[in-house]
Amino acid sequence: MNEPKGLQLDFETADKITVCNLKEAYAYMSNECAEIEALDEIPVHKGEDLVYNKNMLKHIKEVLKYFGETV
């Protein structure tokens, strides 16, 4: 008989972990965006980070909606 590989969690626990991770990532990226936007002059690489993070923030919000959550 084949033993299941990896960590075994019930769906509710797995969903809660996912939501917590997404909210933590959202907060981190939001803070990073605020720090970049506060700069007097934004270097190119920071500008690229800003665009990427703002795009990801929109996507994270959409995924959180699936779980019935908001940020």
Side-chain angles (χ1 to χ4, degrees):
M1 180 174 186
N2 290 337
E3 288 293 319
K5 294 182 181 181
L7 181 64
Q8 299 293 313
L9 297 173
D10 61 90
F11 288 114
E12 185 178 346
T13 301
D15 286 355
K16 286 179 182 179
I17 291 169
T18 300
V19 167
C20 287
N21 284 329
L22 287 170
K23 286 184 174 185
E24 188 175 306
Y26 189 92
Y28 178 83
M29 287 182 189
S30 293
N31 288 336
E32 193 172 69
C33 286
E35 288 174 6
I36 294 170
E37 289 171 333
L39 297 173
D40 292 331
E41 199 171 305
I42 300 175
V44 173
H45 70 281
K46 290 287 187 182
E48 291 169 351
D49 290 347
L50 183 62
V51 170
Y52 176 82
N53 286 351
K54 286 191 172 201
N55 189 36
M56 287 302 297
L57 291 172
K58 286 190 274 186
H59 293 299
I60 290 171
K61 277 184 174 182
E62 286 301 312
V63 174
L64 285 171
K65 281 183 191 178
Y66 169 80
F67 292 102
E69 298 282 337
T70 59
V71 284

